[in-house]
Amino acid sequence: MADPSPWIFDVKADEFEQQVVQKSSEVPVIVDFWAPWCQPCQLLAPIIEQAVNDAAGKLLLAKVNIDDNPDLAQMMGVQSIPVVVAFFEGQVIDHFQGVLPEDELKEWLARLVPSKAAESFKEALELLESDPAAAELKLREVLELEPSDNIKIYLAQTLLAQSRDEECGQIIAELEVRGFLEPEAEKIKSQLEMRANAEESGGVLQARASAEANPDDLSLQLALADALAVDNKHRDAFETLLSVATLDRGGENGDNARQRMVKLFDVVGAGSELVSEYRRKLATALY
């Protein structure tokens, strides 16, 4: 008798939700519907069990004896066996019926195992906000394995979070050569532009002092708004930009203020109540 495996287990109807559906949020779970009298099931079992053991925890195998669990088999639409169903993140993602040739079965199982790139990307997403430097390392691993423009955008986010604006800007410039930018990349570009303008103005205190000393120079108000935005004083930034857009309606500074507000809407996020408030105010002021 084979040694018990930590990755292979029997499942009954009342355990299915917890042992299969919920566990599949962590790792793909394969469900083998079988019965002791089913000869094809006996042929399939050692092959699929060996493959799951070889995956060493990257896959789980739940075995369902349909004689003991007829209601579960009926719920899953099992009419003849063997049937093998793959769950991931709570959903059925693939299945087959009957006995596949060993090579085809191994190929089918291999598609379910998360790749090294997928694992590193998942880890990077978990680290993105709490540890951008660690997330950066994981994303660079992913790019070496599976180069992707989408991964480059996430990498740019980690660089932005570390205030490595020049490196971040280089990635955005490379992406822009394609002739377009994804919304997230546009957002990063806007943040870089705001930071550059804020740095040129010397930060909030210096920008405010310059604006107050020269109240008729609306370009200094724009610089102040950028500094406020970079300092996460978004309401003050919106108020400043709205004031310029209203005072210089149709003028160059007014148009720049409107464009800056639109970019700041993207940076803050469309779902923000603050964004909704100032979208209405801008529309009222201009139209």
Side-chain angles (χ1 to χ4, degrees):
M1 183 175 179
D3 293 334
S5 168
W7 306 301
I8 301 173
F9 47 89
D10 294 321
V11 171
K12 296 180 181 179
D14 60 355
E15 303 168 326
F16 194 81
E17 176 68 25
Q18 181 180 7
Q19 295 296 313
V20 174
V21 179
Q22 292 183 20
K23 276 191 177 180
S24 74
S25 65
E26 303 169 7
V27 62
V29 180
I30 302 160
V31 185
D32 177 15
F33 291 91
W34 71 288
W37 47 263
C38 169
Q39 187 61 35
C41 299
Q42 309 304 323
L43 295 173
L44 177 65
I47 303 172
I48 198 168
E49 289 173 10
Q50 184 60 55
V52 168
N53 282 324
D54 290 344
K58 294 181 180 179
L59 292 173
L60 299 178
L61 175 61
K63 297 182 70 67
V64 177
N65 183 336
I66 67 167
D67 288 348
D68 296 337
N69 301 276
D71 291 344
L72 179 56
Q74 184 177 14
M75 180 188 77
M76 292 297 298
V78 175
Q79 296 181 342
S80 62
I81 53 175
V83 169
V84 178
V85 181
F87 281 77
F88 188 54
E89 295 185 345
Q91 303 292 325
V92 174
I93 59 170
D94 206 349
H95 75 283
F96 69 84
Q97 181 176 324
V99 180
L100 294 180
E102 186 171 351
D103 289 346
E104 288 185 29
L105 175 59
K106 288 182 177 179
E107 183 180 337
W108 186 84
L109 291 168
R111 292 199 300 268
L112 303 177
V113 178
S115 67
K116 173 62 177 173
E119 291 176 349
S120 293
F121 181 54
K122 183 178 180 181
E123 292 172 10
L125 292 182
E126 292 171 351
L127 293 165
L128 203 57
E129 293 187 9
S130 61
D131 192 345
E136 177 198 345
L137 295 178
K138 290 293 179 183
L139 289 169
R140 291 194 185 280
E141 288 179 10
V142 177
L143 278 174
E144 287 188 9
L145 295 167
E146 298 180 10
S148 156
D149 290 341
N150 186 50
I151 301 302
K152 289 179 182 179
I153 294 172
Y154 280 104
L155 178 59
Q157 287 181 341
T158 68
L159 296 171
L160 188 72
Q162 297 174 74
S163 298
R164 289 159 60 186
D165 292 8
E166 184 175 351
E167 294 171 74
C168 179
Q170 288 173 352
I171 292 175
I172 297 301
E174 290 172 8
L175 293 171
E176 202 164 20
V177 169
R178 302 169 303 168
F180 70 95
L181 285 176
E182 293 80 352
E184 282 302 317
E186 285 283 7
K187 180 177 176 179
I188 293 170
K189 182 182 178 182
S190 296
Q191 289 173 292
L192 288 171
E193 291 173 354
M194 289 177 190
R195 283 189 179 185
N197 293 336
E199 184 177 354
E200 189 175 335
S201 70
V204 172
L205 291 178
Q206 187 171 330
R208 192 186 300 280
S210 297
E212 290 175 351
N214 302 276
D216 295 331
D217 189 342
L218 296 181
S219 66
L220 296 177
Q221 296 290 331
L222 296 177
L224 172 59
D226 284 330
L228 289 166
V230 170
D231 206 33
N232 291 322
K233 295 181 171 63
H234 296 138
R235 180 175 290 278
D236 291 344
F238 279 134
E239 278 294 335
T240 302
L241 291 170
L242 183 63
S243 174
V244 174
T246 303
L247 287 170
D248 192 39
R249 185 187 308 181
E252 182 178 354
N253 285 313
D255 189 49
N256 285 336
R258 182 189 60 78
Q259 292 178 26
R260 277 171 159 83
M261 283 190 78
V262 171
K263 289 181 179 180
L264 190 52
F265 291 155
D266 291 337
V267 169
V268 177
S272 165
E273 291 184 6
L274 190 65
V275 168
S276 297
E277 176 185 344
Y278 278 91
R279 279 192 192 278
R280 290 193 299 270
K281 288 185 176 182
L282 180 62
T284 300
L286 298 184
Y287 306 109

